[in-house]
Amino acid sequence: MDFGFSPFSVLLLSVWGESTLPNGLRELCAPAAMGPHFTFLCAALARCLLPAEGCVICDPSVVLALKALEKDYLPGHLDAKHHKAMMDRVENAVKDFQELPLNEDAYMGVVDEATLQKGSWSLLKDLKRITDSDVKGDLFVKELFWMLHLQKETFATYVARFQKEAYCPNKCGVMLQTLIWCKNCKKEVHACRKSYDCGERNVEVPQMEDMILDCELNWHQASEGLTDYSFYRVWGNNTETLVSKGKEATLTKPMVGPEDAGSYRCELGSVNSSPATIINFHVTVLPERIKEEKPSPNIVTPGEATTESSITLQPLKPEKMLKSRLLGLLICGSLALITGLTFAIFRRRKVIDFIKSSLFGLGSGAAEQTQVSKEKATDSKHQ
């Protein structure tokens, strides 16, 4: 059977099948697109790069990078005599990659756009690292295949994480998720179908307060094809009345009364004929909260005795008690300082007065002795 492909591309077709070969890979491996050094790269990257059956080749940037590698790098970096050995190694690699099984916990044959971009960016970064190193010959071959091995493991972790966390994350309802099928690189909307009924929620709200019914689930923002939230009041005779409809995921009714108690239903529409989710609410209106305004402990209400026993002082808070103690210590210290200064000044005056009195007393005694001596001398002259 002749598909117009190189011999090794026929080997790929025998593994993939003519109808499942990705369109980007068919174009890349065609004789018009391939040079003499590019056959082994096409084969290797068709499987070695893609643990998820060719997902990375679905990215146009990867196809362009491979063409640039064939045109700009291979000439002058790989000797033609090594092509056969390279082809044998690639063939073994292709056979080895056929052993990847489908696993609902790790890989189901699809990825989302974010996972594809993450894997492509990682591959292109390593491919650029190799070309920037200007490695040649056997070392180039070893670097290339080691990079392919590591990228296989890296992309496998990305796919497993997507499968576990992002693939159909809805626990109930119908989520419309855009996915990429790795076998043919087709991007289609996938319906993740679970039970429409997302359960019943009991809501209790006191009378004269606001009732809020929230209909949004965590996967609603990531889903496609969703339309409006519709809230219905469900009556006992199996009839219902539309309360609100729109993009708002919550229903708010202020100052509810006893008449607002009962059953409500929220339905999220979709572009399909069936709803995406249905949530039921059972609302119970509780008695109005009693708001008691207690008088201040230091205020005596009319009719109460104004005795000291009727006044209860509110205990001080710890920080206020600390401030009060510090203030008291400051006042006491100030009083002690003033008293000390006053006493010191008083004592200083007493000392000064004592010194003065002592000095003055000595002076007056000497004068008296001088006067007595003079009088004695006068008396002796007269005699």
Side-chain angles (χ1 to χ4, degrees), residues 193-370:
R193 298 186 182 278
K194 307 289 176 64
S195 172
Y196 293 117
D197 188 1
C198 292
E200 183 178 73
R201 300 178 182 179
N202 294 317
V203 179
E204 295 182 348
V205 55
Q207 188 174 343
M208 302 303 295
E209 295 188 17
D210 295 347
M211 176 186 72
I212 300 176
L213 305 182
D214 190 353
C215 192
E216 185 174 16
L217 299 178
N218 55 5
W219 54 267
H220 282 176
Q221 295 293 331
S223 180
E224 298 186 21
L226 302 181
T227 55
D228 296 324
Y229 292 91
S230 299
F231 289 88
Y232 297 89
R233 175 69 187 271
V234 181
W235 307 102
N237 55 359
N238 292 328
T239 61
E240 56 186 22
T241 304
L242 179 64
V243 179
S244 71
K245 182 177 181 179
K247 302 298 182 182
E248 184 63 41
T250 58
L251 171 66
T252 303
K253 190 177 188 308
M255 301 181 67
V256 296
E259 67 279 2
D260 296 309
S263 299
Y264 295 79
R265 182 172 66 89
C266 170
E267 180 178 300
L268 175 59
S270 68
V271 293
N272 299 330
S273 57
S274 58
T277 55
I278 297 176
I279 300 177
N280 295 295
F281 298 89
H282 181 73
V283 178
T284 302
V285 177
L286 303 176
E288 185 177 356
R289 298 180 194 267
I290 300 177
K291 298 180 180 179
E292 295 182 357
E293 295 185 0
K294 296 183 179 180
S296 174
N298 294 328
I299 298 177
V300 180
T301 56
E304 292 183 344
T306 57
T307 61
E308 292 183 0
S309 60
S310 64
I311 300 177
T312 305
L313 295 179
Q314 185 177 2
L316 294 175
K317 295 182 179 179
E319 57 270 16
K320 291 186 177 181
M321 292 178 64
L322 180 60
K323 290 181 180 179
S324 300
R325 290 179 179 178
L326 291 176
L327 183 59
L329 291 174
L330 181 61
I331 294 173
C332 292
S334 300
L335 292 175
L337 179 61
I338 293 172
T339 303
L341 290 174
T342 303
F343 180 76
I345 293 172
F346 175 77
R347 295 295 299 173
R348 182 172 178 273
R349 288 180 178 178
K350 295 286 287 182
V351 171
I352 292 174
D353 292 342
F354 174 76
I355 293 172
K356 286 181 178 181
S357 63
S358 298
L359 291 176
F360 291 156
L362 289 175
S364 60
E368 288 178 356
Q369 290 179 359
T370 304

Side-chain angles (χ1 to χ4, degrees), residues 65-78:
L66 297 182
K67 288 184 177 180
L69 183 67
E70 184 265 341
K71 179 181 178 181
D72 302 330
Y73 190 83
L74 284 186
H77 289 84
L78 185 66

Side-chain angles (χ1 to χ4, degrees), residues 15-317:
V15 175
W16 285 69
E18 178 184 4
S19 61
T20 59
L21 189 67
N23 295 332
L25 186 58
R26 291 177 62 89
E27 179 183 353
L28 186 64
C29 296
M34 295 181 62
H37 305 288
F38 199 55
T39 303
F40 77 92
L41 284 175
C42 174
L45 293 169
R47 281 293 195 173
C48 291
L49 294 181
L50 316 174
E53 296 190 7
C55 274
V56 174
I57 207 68
C58 297
D59 191 336
S61 62
V62 173
V63 178
L64 292 176
L66 297 182
K67 288 184 177 180
L69 183 67
E70 184 265 341
K71 179 181 178 181
D72 302 330
Y73 190 83
L74 284 186
H77 289 84
L78 185 66
D79 197 328
K81 66 180 180 180
H82 298 300
H83 285 185
K84 186 178 185 306
M86 174 69 73
M87 293 291 290
D88 291 339
R89 292 183 61 186
V90 172
E91 181 177 355
N92 292 331
V94 172
K95 290 180 180 179
D96 180 64
F97 274 71
Q98 293 179 19
E99 302 301 323
L100 283 173
L102 293 176
N103 189 321
E104 64 178 348
D105 295 327
Y107 171 62
M108 290 292 290
V110 294
V111 296
D112 62 351
E113 186 71 27
T115 304
L116 176 61
Q117 292 297 325
K118 190 183 298 183
S120 300
W121 179 84
S122 180
L123 167 65
L124 294 174
K125 181 184 66 173
D126 272 4
L127 192 59
K128 185 177 186 301
R129 177 183 55 80
I130 292 177
T131 56
D132 288 346
S133 67
D134 200 34
V135 63
K136 300 180 180 180
D138 291 340
L139 185 57
F140 163 69
V141 174
K142 292 178 181 179
E143 286 281 343
L144 177 65
F145 275 90
W146 180 244
M147 183 270 288
L148 297 179
H149 170 73
L150 295 179
Q151 285 300 318
K152 171 187 175 181
E153 294 181 349
T154 300
F155 192 66
T157 60
Y158 293 157
V159 174
R161 186 179 304 168
F162 159 76
Q163 186 70 27
K164 182 179 180 180
E165 300 176 1
Y167 175 70
C168 293
N170 57 313
K171 304 299 182 183
C172 63
V174 179
M175 176 182 179
L176 301 179
Q177 187 177 23
T178 299
L179 300 175
I180 300 171
W181 269 251
C182 295
K183 278 194 172 184
N184 52 23
C185 295
K186 288 184 178 180
K187 184 184 293 187
E188 297 178 354
V189 176
H190 173 64
C192 305
R193 298 186 182 278
K194 307 289 176 64
S195 172
Y196 293 117
D197 188 1
C198 292
E200 183 178 73
R201 300 178 182 179
N202 294 317
V203 179
E204 295 182 348
V205 55
Q207 188 174 343
M208 302 303 295
E209 295 188 17
D210 295 347
M211 176 186 72
I212 300 176
L213 305 182
D214 190 353
C215 192
E216 185 174 16
L217 299 178
N218 55 5
W219 54 267
H220 282 176
Q221 295 293 331
S223 180
E224 298 186 21
L226 302 181
T227 55
D228 296 324
Y229 292 91
S230 299
F231 289 88
Y232 297 89
R233 175 69 187 271
V234 181
W235 307 102
N237 55 359
N238 292 328
T239 61
E240 56 186 22
T241 304
L242 179 64
V243 179
S244 71
K245 182 177 181 179
K247 302 298 182 182
E248 184 63 41
T250 58
L251 171 66
T252 303
K253 190 177 188 308
M255 301 181 67
V256 296
E259 67 279 2
D260 296 309
S263 299
Y264 295 79
R265 182 172 66 89
C266 170
E267 180 178 300
L268 175 59
S270 68
V271 293
N272 299 330
S273 57
S274 58
T277 55
I278 297 176
I279 300 177
N280 295 295
F281 298 89
H282 181 73
V283 178
T284 302
V285 177
L286 303 176
E288 185 177 356
R289 298 180 194 267
I290 300 177
K291 298 180 180 179
E292 295 182 357
E293 295 185 0
K294 296 183 179 180
S296 174
N298 294 328
I299 298 177
V300 180
T301 56
E304 292 183 344
T306 57
T307 61
E308 292 183 0
S309 60
S310 64
I311 300 177
T312 305
L313 295 179
Q314 185 177 2
L316 294 175
K317 295 182 179 179

